[in-house]
Amino acid sequence: MEKKIKMACIIDDDSIYVNLVKKIIETKKLCSNLLVFNDGKDGIDYFEALLKNLDQDVIPEIILLDINMPVMDGWEFIERFTKIQNKFKKRITLYVVSSSINLTDIEKAKSLSGVQNYLVKPVKIDDLEAVFKRTA
């Protein structure tokens, strides 16, 4: 039996993208639970609150993060998340998912130790499946 991800997290303000990815995850049964935050601030608040109560069942194994968002963008989220990431007992894999094809953004994301990879929107179903299988 193939190992699956229990919980994933999407941090993105693009509701069309979020609904599309949710549908793909649901249809392909890529994980059991999905958290969605509309900006980096809500996302980092969730992870910082988890540090006070490390319930392993509510820690996502994978984060799909947009970089261009209001309130707190993906770069600031990564900066703050990187400082707390090692405090979790579970490994959390972070992928940047953006519509930006700017090489500076792509190279910056790939150079950060906390980022596994950079995916360009729209994400292909096969690429999304591969990300979830690789992380499981």
Side-chain angles (χ1 to χ4, degrees), residues 76-121:
E76 191 176 345
F77 175 88
I78 292 169
E79 186 181 323
R80 289 181 57 182
F81 183 73
T82 302
K83 292 177 184 169
I84 63 170
Q85 188 173 14
N86 291 335
K87 295 179 182 172
F88 295 101
K89 293 176 184 169
K90 188 187 279 186
R91 183 168 188 260
I92 304 171
T93 307
L94 194 152
Y95 286 87
V96 171
V97 183
S98 176
S99 56
S100 171
I101 54 170
N102 184 323
L103 278 180
T104 306
D105 287 341
I106 295 170
E107 288 172 6
K108 179 179 177 181
K110 287 184 174 183
S111 73
L112 298 172
S113 61
V115 176
Q116 182 70 31
N117 205 349
Y118 188 102
L119 304 171
V120 177
K121 291 180 186 174

Side-chain angles (χ1 to χ4, degrees), residues 15 19 28 48 61 71 75-76 78-79 98-99 127-128:
S15 61
N19 286 331
K28 297 287 185 177
E48 288 176 348
E61 293 142 280
V71 186
W75 301 122
E76 191 176 345
I78 292 169
E79 186 181 323
S98 176
S99 56
D127 292 342
L128 198 59

Side-chain angles (χ1 to χ4, degrees), residues 16 29-30 38 41:
I16 294 170
K29 298 179 174 45
L30 298 177
N38 294 323
K41 173 86 170 78

